[in-house]
């Protein structure tokens, strides 16, 4: 009776919890980590320009180069450098204000993964009819998953006090895990793999031994019947059987 | 029939438009120069500056008479130890790379703000000499006072860098050793059981 009550009680408890059950859902986290480095002293009016949307100036060409890194490999958490080449085809000098970049998901450009720190320049200018190069050092978040991402880099500059903005890079980068070959996880994985192989080998070896023992043990069964001779000795004494068994004992 | 002609005309126009857009970026060389300077403190106490300049041509045509000139190191602050602050090459093809490096010895103490190096080159379509500037360098703290390294700093650094890997490998090796070598007490127990 008590068990029946207990059973009913537990079933009732389970049923009560049903509406409270919730499926565990994964939430993709967007890291708010921002890393980078700054070059020189900051201008006062930089905040007005950085983050705004300006049009590119007609006489300016930009180019992006990853030095000694044509595969555009970016180790997560470590500094990566890229060079921005600016050509001023116009008549008046150009003042670079800042270089900024952001990382997006490759299949949906609106999904922002990380905003990289903007690098502001205090006194960087490109005279007319010249080309100049500027470095941009950035680091993506250490916890970013390895894979392909979209990097959008823009340079904000002004010509004759009016701001402009050009996108110097709008393409993919390969984020890889920083760190050498020997790490905690790799050592454990390798040891586990080796131990599993060794265990498998031992098990196969055991199986072989068992099979070989079975075939060898068959003839031994016949020898076992010799031990029962001791109980038969008393009433078989003097008979032909006793004489033959004593002979076999002597042989032993 | 008219529709067909109109369609083909549209396609031709679109093709011409795209072709023009592709060549609109020009067929001139685009020189991207990367200047790097690093400080090394020698045992004798003097400081050396190693400067390396990489010149890339990211444009579509060859640059001729490429000449590099780095005048940003004043004579009263730096002495040239090896190499030359200027160099010239005959040509730099599209997609090519030129490298140059030299070493200087620092004479004066203080913060040094370097200016970019200047690269001049010629292109067939224009008579004037073209100019390009390299990347600027970060401020260098020349002959800075460094606090003396404490006794076991190098050991601490090695430990911080390789500590986790060494500990993991040692744990795994110890574990394997424990499993493979039977202990004396267990062997004695086994022999007792047999008796």
């Amino acid at each position: 009776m008590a068990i029946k009550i207990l059973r009913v009680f537990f079933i009732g408890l389970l049923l009560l919890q049903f509406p409270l059950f919730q499926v565990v859902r994964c939430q993709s986290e967007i890291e708010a980590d921002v890393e980078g480095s700054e070059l020189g002293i900051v201008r006062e009016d930089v905040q007005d320009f950085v983050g705004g949307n300006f049009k590119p100036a007609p006489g300016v060409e930009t180019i992006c180069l990853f030095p000694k890194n044509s595969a555009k490999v970016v180790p997560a958490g470590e500094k990566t450098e890229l060079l921005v080449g600016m050509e001023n085809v116009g008549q008046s000098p150009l003042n670079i204000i800042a270089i900024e970049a952001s990382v997006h998901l490759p299949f949906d450009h609106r999904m922002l993964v990380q905003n990289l720190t903007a690098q502001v320049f205090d006194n960087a200018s490109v005279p007319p009819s010249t080309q100049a190069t500027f470095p941009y050092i950035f680091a993506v978040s250490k916890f970013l998953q390895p894979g392909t991402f979209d990097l959008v880099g823009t340079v904000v500059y002004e010509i004759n006090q009016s701001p402009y903005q050009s996108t110097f890079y709008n393409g993919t980068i390969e984020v890889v895990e920083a760190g050498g070959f020997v790490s905690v996880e790799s050592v454990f994985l390798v040891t586990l793999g080796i131990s599993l192989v060794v265990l498998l080998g031992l098990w196969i070896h055991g199986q072989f031994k068992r099979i070989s023992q079975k075939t060898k043990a068959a003839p031994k069964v016949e020898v076992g019947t010799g031990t029962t001779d001791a109980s038969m000795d008393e009433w078989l004494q003097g008979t032909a059987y006793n004489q033959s068994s004593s002979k076999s004992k002597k042989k032993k | 029939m008219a529709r067909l002609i109109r369609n083909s005309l549209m396609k031709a126009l679109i093709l011409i438009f795209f072709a023009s857009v592709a060549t609109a970026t020009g067929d001139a060389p685009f020189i991207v120069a990367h200047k790097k300077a690093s400080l090394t403190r020698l045992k004798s106490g003097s400081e050396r500056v190693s400067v390396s300049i990489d010149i890339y041509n990211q444009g579509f045509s060859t640059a001729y008479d490429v000449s590099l000139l780095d005048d940003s190191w004043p004579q009263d602050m730096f002495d040239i130890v090896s190499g030359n602050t200027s160099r010239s090459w005959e040509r730099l093809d599209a997609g090519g790379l030129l490298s140059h490096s030299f070493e200087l010895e620092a004479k004066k103490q203080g913060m040094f703000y370097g200016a970019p190096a200047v690269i001049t080159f010629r292109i067939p379509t224009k008579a004037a000499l073209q100019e390009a500037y390299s990347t600027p360098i970060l401020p260098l703290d020349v002959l800075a006072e460094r606090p003396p390294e404490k006794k076991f700093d190098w050991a601490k650094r090695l430990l911080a860098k390789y500590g986790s890997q060494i500990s993991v490998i040692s744990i795994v090796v110890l574990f394997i050793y424990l499993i493979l070598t039977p202990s004396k007490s267990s062997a004695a127990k086994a022999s007792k059981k047999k008796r």
Side-chain angles (χ1 to χ4, degrees):
Chain A
M1 187 62 197
I3 292 174
K4 220 180 182 181
I5 296 171
L6 220 67
R7 231 184 270 169
V8 168
F9 171 70
F10 275 120
I11 290 171
L13 209 67
L14 255 169
L15 285 169
L16 264 174
Q17 285 177 17
F18 257 62
L20 300 170
F21 276 169
Q22 257 193 348
V23 175
V24 175
R25 276 197 207 96
C26 243
Q27 265 191 338
S28 65
E29 286 191 4
I30 297 173
E31 260 75 35
D33 251 348
V34 171
E35 292 186 30
S37 73
E38 287 203 6
L39 186 81
I41 315 152
V42 179
R43 281 163 60 128
E44 300 96 35
D45 53 354
V46 157
Q47 289 311 311
D48 302 336
F49 297 118
V50 172
N53 267 328
F54 304 108
K55 294 264 177 338
V60 171
E61 281 179 21
T62 53
I63 211 158
C64 174
L65 170 69
F66 285 77
K68 307 233 162 75
N69 187 7
S70 52
K72 303 192 181 74
V73 169
V74 175
E78 289 183 4
K79 286 187 186 172
T80 316
E81 187 167 15
L82 63 81
L83 302 173
V84 183
M86 304 270 307
E87 181 167 15
N88 186 1
V89 186
Q91 304 299 318
S92 25
L94 198 141
N95 283 335
I96 308 277
I97 300 171
I99 296 179
E100 52 189 10
S102 53
V103 182
H104 299 258
L105 285 179
F107 42 84
D108 193 353
H109 231 256
R110 292 164 299 171
M111 302 285 281
L112 175 72
V113 171
Q114 188 181 355
N115 250 333
L116 302 170
T117 308
Q119 185 153 308
V120 280
F121 294 88
D122 180 43
N123 194 9
S125 68
V126 185
S129 309
T130 33
Q131 299 167 350
T133 316
F134 298 98
Y136 181 58
I137 305 174
F138 64 97
V140 292
S141 166
K142 191 168 55 158
F143 306 107
L144 196 58
Q145 271 194 332
T148 319
F149 289 93
D150 259 352
L151 179 75
V152 179
T154 57
V155 53
V156 183
Y157 51 95
E158 66 174 7
I159 302 177
N160 296 332
Q161 310 300 321
S162 34
Y164 297 95
Q165 185 181 333
S166 284
T167 307
F168 60 84
Y169 188 66
N170 188 356
T172 52
I173 52 163
E174 277 296 320
V175 175
V176 292
E177 235 182 55
F181 183 64
V182 178
S183 70
V184 179
E185 297 98 1
S186 66
V187 168
F188 275 136
L189 271 171
V190 165
T191 321
L192 184 70
I194 293 172
S195 59
L196 282 172
V197 166
V198 164
L199 273 170
L200 191 73
L202 277 171
W203 180 78
I204 291 171
H205 183 68
Q207 294 292 80
F208 270 131
K209 250 194 176 172
R210 198 159 58 88
I211 291 169
S212 62
Q213 266 184 353
K214 261 189 188 170
T215 49
K216 274 190 202 167
K220 279 189 190 169
V221 175
E222 295 164 33
V223 180
T225 53
T227 53
T228 56
D229 272 347
S231 57
M232 296 165 85
D233 275 351
E234 294 160 341
W235 63 280
L236 283 173
Q237 274 193 11
T239 58
Y241 188 88
N242 197 19
Q243 286 171 355
S244 65
S245 67
S246 63
K247 278 187 193 170
S248 66
K249 268 191 186 170
K250 278 179 190 168
K251 276 185 191 171
K252 283 180 190 174
Chain B
M1 184 67 186
R3 206 182 267 178
L4 260 169
I5 295 172
R6 224 188 315 142
N7 270 344
S8 53
L9 204 70
M10 278 290 289
K11 282 182 188 164
L13 273 171
I14 291 169
L15 259 169
I16 292 169
F17 172 71
F18 275 120
S20 66
V21 162
T23 53
T25 46
D27 51 358
F30 202 124
I31 300 290
V32 174
H34 192 189
K35 177 172 160 182
K36 289 175 276 201
S38 59
L39 289 167
T40 32
R41 180 72 65 95
L42 300 173
K43 291 258 164 115
S44 59
S46 58
E47 195 137 48
R48 290 264 170 100
V49 186
S50 344
V51 184
S52 82
I53 301 172
D54 293 327
I55 306 175
Y56 304 85
N57 183 358
Q58 293 292 103
F60 298 98
S61 71
T62 315
Y64 298 96
D65 294 331
V66 181
S67 130
L68 162 74
L69 183 61
D70 192 2
D71 273 341
S72 61
W73 311 96
Q75 284 287 329
D76 57 345
M77 284 188 74
F78 298 96
D79 266 335
I80 301 176
V81 170
S82 74
N84 214 338
T85 54
S86 61
R87 192 164 163 192
S88 58
W89 297 268
E90 257 188 32
R91 57 189 286 161
L92 176 56
D93 294 315
L97 160 67
L98 291 170
S99 272
H100 179 59
S101 53
F102 53 91
E103 254 192 56
L104 306 161
E105 175 137 1
K107 289 197 290 197
K108 246 198 235 177
Q109 190 186 13
M111 285 297 270
F112 177 69
Y113 300 92
V118 180
I119 294 109
T120 51
F121 58 98
R122 283 191 195 280
I123 51 175
T125 50
K126 290 190 190 157
L129 203 62
Q130 306 296 306
E131 243 186 9
Y133 289 104
S134 75
T135 58
I137 54 168
L138 286 166
L140 293 173
D141 202 356
V142 180
L143 288 169
E145 290 286 334
R146 276 194 212 167
E149 213 181 54
K150 287 181 201 161
K151 272 189 182 176
F152 295 109
D153 262 353
W154 59 272
K156 281 187 199 168
R157 264 187 284 130
L158 268 175
L159 199 70
K161 203 171 173 191
Y162 298 111
S164 62
Q165 291 151 347
I166 292 172
S167 57
V168 160
I169 293 175
S170 59
I171 287 169
V172 167
V173 166
L174 199 70
F175 181 68
I176 293 171
Y177 172 73
L178 276 172
I179 287 185
L180 286 179
T181 54
S183 59
K184 287 185 191 169
S185 56
S186 64
K189 275 186 197 168
S191 57
K192 273 188 191 168
K193 271 188 186 173
K194 275 187 186 170
R195 281 188 213 156

